[in-house]
Amino acid sequence: MEFRAGLFTAAMVAAAMIILSSTPALAQKAKDKSPPAPPADILPPSPAPAPSPHIVNLADLLSVAGPFHTFLDYLEKTDVLKTFQSKANDTKESAEGITIFVPKDSAFSSLRATTFANLTGEELKSLVLYHALPKYYSLAEFNKLSSLNPVPTFAGSQYTLNLTDNMGSIRVKSMWSNPKISSSVYSTRPVAVYEVDKVLLPMQIFKSDPPLAPAPAPAPVDAKADDDAALSPASGKAASAKAKAGEKSAASQGAGGGYLAVAAAGGVMMMLLW
């Protein structure tokens, strides 16, 4: 009996040894059979930053785009340039933009200098504000805009304009002027700048049609050029030919007079002899 108990104990010890010796291998095999770990999440690439919108510098544009120096001077003098530039800088999608009508320098010089020199500071500011609409309009939109006349300007609801589009010829009518848009200086939302050939003149500032500047005096005659022409060989020949023609005419008239005198004397003598 004791012998059997000893055999059982030895068998149990041997089994335990076998299990202990095989545990690392089993663990390694179980590890090898385990499913692979899921790959790490791959994040999508970050989108490239949107390019910043282009902002037009109105002072630079007007100083190089054309003969707009007078209008630019008034913009700066009245600080209206800051108002217009602030509107041009608003590039949000909800921004309405700005449309500016810019008269050429010749449009200002065609009016008497006192037309603008006699204006008060507030009147001059209103005049400059009157040359802009508080919304961007492309040339194609003026046809639709004409149905909304009168259109308010930056100067206020009482300072309005009437816009017409006749087969692509666009006119911007104020009380005392009806200029046409000569060209598009710049037109990219939210800023549109159009050249006009006359100054916009509202009745709120000008009670009557401002007079035009006097016509320029004729160029003075160059006396030296006249003297040189008189002394030139060609003019000398012409004068000589003219003088000879006069002499021939006088001689023929003298000869004709002599013939008439002889005929008359002969007639008198025949009457006496008769």
Side-chain angles (χ1 to χ4, degrees):
M1 190 68 167
E2 292 179 356
F3 177 75
R4 291 181 177 177
L7 288 175
F8 178 78
T9 302
M12 293 296 293
V13 170
M17 292 295 291
I18 293 172
I19 292 172
L20 290 174
S21 62
S22 62
T23 297
L26 292 174
Q28 181 65 35
K29 187 179 291 185
K31 183 177 180 182
D32 294 341
K33 291 184 178 180
S34 62
D41 293 336
I42 301 176
L43 298 177
S46 301
S52 57
H54 174 70
I55 296 178
V56 60
N57 186 302
L58 295 176
D60 291 346
L61 175 66
L62 296 180
S63 63
V64 300
F68 306 129
H69 304 295
T70 305
F71 187 72
L72 179 57
D73 288 343
Y74 286 144
L75 280 173
E76 294 173 337
K77 181 178 179 180
T78 58
D79 277 343
V80 172
L81 181 60
K82 295 179 181 178
T83 302
F84 287 176
Q85 188 64 58
S86 176
K87 192 74 171 175
N89 292 350
D90 190 355
T91 57
K92 298 190 297 289
E93 291 186 4
S94 59
E96 293 189 315
I98 184 173
T99 300
I100 309 173
F101 304 108
V102 186
K104 298 184 294 185
D105 288 345
S106 58
F108 286 95
S109 60
S110 66
L111 299 167
R112 288 188 183 273
T114 54
T115 302
F116 308 105
N118 292 337
L119 297 181
T120 66
E122 284 301 315
E123 288 175 334
L124 186 59
K125 183 176 182 178
S126 296
L127 175 66
V128 179
L129 289 169
Y130 187 58
H131 284 74
L133 306 178
K135 189 175 180 180
Y136 169 84
Y137 292 103
S138 65
L139 288 175
E141 292 176 302
F142 277 96
N143 191 16
K144 177 180 64 176
L145 183 61
S146 60
S147 63
L148 304 177
N149 288 329
V151 180
T153 67
F154 253 101
S157 58
Q158 60 177 336
Y159 289 84
T160 58
L161 294 168
N162 286 287
L163 298 125
T164 59
D165 183 355
N166 183 14
M167 303 293 290
S169 178
I170 303 171
R171 290 193 173 270
V172 187
K173 181 175 177 57
S174 62
M175 180 62 189
W176 303 114
S177 62
N178 187 24
K180 68 177 180 180
I181 293 180
S182 306
S183 65
S184 174
V185 179
Y186 182 91
S187 183
T188 301
R189 195 177 296 275
V191 180
V193 179
Y194 301 116
E195 177 186 303
V196 291
D197 57 359
K198 293 181 182 178
V199 181
L200 297 172
L201 303 170
M203 64 179 178
Q204 290 82 1
I205 298 176
F206 303 97
K207 305 306 179 186
S208 60
D209 191 359
L212 299 176
V221 178
D222 190 346
K224 185 177 184 300
D226 289 347
D227 293 341
D228 292 343
L231 295 175
S232 66
S235 61
K237 291 180 180 179
S240 176
K242 188 174 181 181
K244 289 181 180 178
E247 290 174 359
K248 289 182 179 180
S249 176
S252 62
Q253 289 179 0
Y259 295 148
L260 289 176
V262 171
V268 171
M269 292 185 66
M270 289 182 66
M271 287 179 64
L272 291 175
L273 294 174
W274 185 265

